Amino acid sequence: MRTVDLIDKKKRGGNLSKKEIDFLLDGYIQGKVEDYQMSAFLMAVYFNGMSDEELLNFTINMKNSGEIIKLKSSKKFLVDKHSTGGVGDKITIILSPILASLGMGTAKLSGKGLGHTGGTIDKFESLNNFKFSQNNKELLNILNSTGIGLMGYSEKVVPLDKKIYSLRDVTATVDSIPLIASSIMSKKLAVESDIIVLDVKAGDGAFMKNISQAEELSKRMVNIGKNYGRKTIAIISEMDEPLGYNIGNSLEIIESIDSLNGNFSDDIKEVVYEIIYQILLFRKKVTSYSEAKDIIDKLIESKKPLKLLQKFLNLSGVEDNVTENVNLIKIADNKLKIISNKEGYINKISAKKIGEAAMIIGAGRSKKDDKIDYSVGIKLHKKVLDYVKKGEILAEIYYNDNAKLSESKILVEEAFLIEDFKKNSIKKTIIKVIQ
């Protein structure tokens, strides 16, 4: 078997067998297949795609290239929830303690933010002394105590994905749907769980810019999970405007705590409740959305999720009782108000521009090794479909360094589209559920 023959086969639209995929990927991670050969193969995949069988075998090999996070000894029903990335996406922080209150466990590797999208690791690390679990034993201890099992990505988990992604990044193959699906699902399958829930974002602030792309990616990932034997659900949600009101690490922790106190923004509530409903439906705990809603409402009222979140934070090194007093969470002292210069309905708030505005003042990274300022960010005062008067506050920028403040201000102002008519009367965040 020769690598060049496998490249040629895929170039001509052929499907590779498991044996051929294993030969190619094993050879690459061992250094027997050259970067230029793998680059050629990735470009062939970009143009010709992969069959479901090929994609499953490709993903399993990726998954098997590193350590498996073993959590089954926890005896809990384990949920691995993944978001494809957005602006103001704090769903994991809110969802995990609610699932824990229902007797389930979160089994999840979390990532850092890059570009205009935020990362769960950065949000938690905005709290004083917070440290994610460093190994399986620490993760299991906290998972068993709280039901919340979160840790950062390890270099030892799916190392092949990192090696291949570095090639995709420089060969214009990042946006290949099969390669995206394999990258995400190899890491999901490397963590033991009972169900994978994928929150696939679509729109201005998401990687998938339109619904058809998001649907295609969702179907490929759900098929990988199904063919592997792992229950997988994809929920496509809108990311044309930021999720919730707060964008920025400390600010998003504060909004998460507010949400667990029952003060949800409509869009956050819609996503959180839908995910829990789908999980309870799969487990045959409910037969309708209204049943699930009643259960969640009562849990929120009981404050149990909030107490479990605080316990998770304490076990992760945070000494402050931040769920009781959000003023203990450090946010930037300086604020710049963005004022509306006209009256009308807000028909759009560009998630991408808001995300970029937050990144520019230090809330995010333009490069992987950039340092971030956890305390800065943007707080929206209005959402899409809201009516605004001239002179009202649209948003506030929380900042420490004013070097790029004017650039950030321009982006926030440009993000708001205010017109004298309301484009839509109803706004829905959940677009479609695929399983």
Side-chain angles (χ1 to χ4, degrees):
M1 198 180 298
R2 297 191 312 161
T3 301
V4 66
D5 296 328
L6 303 185
I7 296 168
D8 186 62
K9 185 176 181 180
K10 178 48 65 180
K11 181 187 76 175
R12 296 176 188 279
N15 293 331
L16 272 60
S17 67
K18 181 181 184 304
K19 189 175 179 181
E20 289 170 326
I21 287 171
D22 288 345
F23 175 85
L24 181 71
L25 295 183
D26 292 347
Y28 184 56
I29 202 162
Q30 292 165 15
K32 297 174 184 176
V33 172
E34 301 290 345
D35 279 350
Y36 59 80
Q37 292 175 305
M38 183 56 73
S39 297
F41 177 78
L42 295 174
M43 189 58 75
V45 169
Y46 181 87
F47 284 111
N48 293 318
M50 283 185 177
S51 69
D52 281 349
E53 186 179 354
E54 271 186 300
L55 191 52
L56 176 64
N57 290 328
F58 193 91
T59 305
I60 289 173
N61 188 291
M62 293 254 287
K63 184 262 293 184
N64 290 338
S65 69
E67 288 183 359
I68 305 299
I69 305 298
K70 297 181 178 180
L71 301 172
K72 282 297 184 182
S73 60
S74 72
K75 307 298 182 188
K76 292 180 183 291
F77 181 88
L78 298 175
V79 178
D80 188 348
K81 174 261 172 193
H82 175 81
S83 168
T84 57
V87 179
D89 184 359
K90 53 202 68 83
I91 298 299
T92 294
I93 304 165
I94 301 164
L95 181 72
S96 299
I98 301 176
L99 292 175
S101 299
L102 290 164
M104 292 183 264
T106 305
K108 176 175 164 52
L109 298 180
S110 295
K112 293 193 172 188
L114 185 62
H116 69 275
T117 62
T120 302
I121 281 184
D122 301 319
K123 301 181 207 306
F124 276 116
E125 288 185 345
S126 70
L127 297 170
N128 286 337
N129 302 317
F130 184 93
K131 289 285 185 292
F132 272 103
S133 299
Q134 299 300 302
N135 53 55
N136 231 52
K137 185 179 178 182
E138 287 181 20
L139 182 62
L140 268 170
N141 285 339
I142 295 179
L143 173 60
N144 288 331
S145 296
T146 66
I148 303 172
L150 303 175
M151 70 182 290
Y153 277 108
S154 163
E155 299 287 326
K156 296 177 182 177
V157 176
V158 197
L160 185 54
D161 176 62
K162 184 178 180 182
K163 194 174 183 188
I164 287 178
Y165 189 87
S166 65
L167 282 186
R168 288 170 57 204
D169 199 30
V170 295
T171 56
T173 54
V174 168
D175 55 342
S176 162
I177 296 285
L179 296 177
I180 296 169
S182 181
S183 175
I184 291 171
M185 289 302 292
S186 62
K187 288 173 283 197
K188 297 295 99 186
L189 297 179
V191 180
E192 288 184 343
S193 66
D194 294 290
I195 188 170
I196 297 168
V197 181
L198 305 161
D199 182 6
V200 180
K201 304 293 188 188
D204 172 72
F207 190 66
M208 298 288 111
K209 297 301 178 187
N210 58 60
I211 294 171
S212 62
Q213 284 181 327
E215 194 167 341
E216 184 185 351
L217 176 61
S218 297
K219 286 177 179 176
R220 296 310 300 265
M221 292 193 293
V222 167
N223 280 339
I224 291 170
K226 188 185 297 181
N227 293 333
Y228 185 80
R230 184 85 54 91
K231 176 63 180 179
T232 305
I233 299 172
I235 296 170
I236 302 174
S237 63
E238 182 261 353
M239 186 40 73
D240 276 331
E241 74 169 316
L243 196 57
Y245 287 90
N246 291 6
I247 300 92
N249 301 293
S250 293
L251 289 169
E252 291 189 42
I253 291 285
I254 291 170
E255 186 171 19
S256 299
I257 292 168
D258 286 343
S259 299
L260 290 171
N261 271 308
N263 304 314
F264 286 94
S265 66
D266 291 341
D267 49 1
I268 288 176
K269 187 171 187 176
E270 189 179 339
V271 175
V272 169
Y273 277 50
E274 182 66 32
I275 290 172
I276 296 170
Y277 165 57
Q278 291 296 336
I279 295 166
L280 291 175
L281 197 62
F282 169 69
R283 298 193 69 199
K284 297 183 169 56
K285 302 291 185 183
V286 299
T287 56
S288 67
Y289 180 85
S290 61
E291 272 186 79
K293 182 181 179 299
D294 287 344
I295 290 169
I296 303 164
D297 286 344
K298 285 173 185 173
L299 277 176
I300 296 295
E301 193 177 335
S302 75
K303 306 292 184 187
K304 187 178 178 181
L306 208 55
K307 290 171 185 172
L308 283 173
L309 176 60
Q310 184 62 54
K311 188 176 181 182
F312 167 73
L313 296 177
N314 290 150
L315 290 173
S316 303
V318 178
E319 296 173 4
D320 295 333
N321 191 350
V322 293
T323 59
E324 288 289 330
N325 183 6
V326 294
N327 292 324
L328 295 170
I329 300 172
K330 181 171 175 50
I331 56 174
D333 294 326
N334 303 309
K335 287 188 282 187
L336 176 69
K337 294 176 181 178
I338 305 299
I339 306 298
S340 177
N341 60 7
K342 64 189 294 188
E343 186 171 344
Y345 293 96
I346 298 172
N347 282 330
K348 182 175 175 60
I349 304 174
S350 167
K352 186 178 181 184
K353 285 187 177 179
I354 294 291
E356 288 173 345
M359 181 187 71
I360 283 169
I361 55 168
R365 301 175 182 84
S366 58
K367 303 187 298 295
K368 286 182 181 178
D369 55 354
D370 283 350
K371 288 186 177 180
I372 61 173
D373 184 342
Y374 296 117
S375 67
V376 302
I378 295 165
K379 185 171 188 175
L380 303 178
H381 283 244
K382 299 289 182 180
K383 296 280 283 178
V384 169
L385 300 189
D386 285 349
Y387 187 79
V388 62
K389 294 178 182 178
K390 185 176 180 179
E392 273 194 277
I393 301 172
L394 295 173
E396 289 179 291
I397 301 174
Y398 288 69
Y399 68 97
N400 287 318
D401 184 355
N402 62 9
K404 294 187 176 179
L405 184 61
S406 60
E407 192 179 344
S408 179
K409 177 178 181 284
I410 290 167
L411 280 169
V412 175
E413 289 172 339
E414 289 177 347
F416 284 84
L417 174 64
I418 301 171
E419 297 176 303
D420 58 6
F421 63 94
K422 191 184 283 191
K423 190 175 285 185
N424 297 302
S425 56
I426 299 172
K427 182 173 67 172
K428 274 188 69 66
T429 306
I430 303 295
I431 298 167
K432 194 170 188 178
V433 178
I434 294 172
Q435 53 186 307

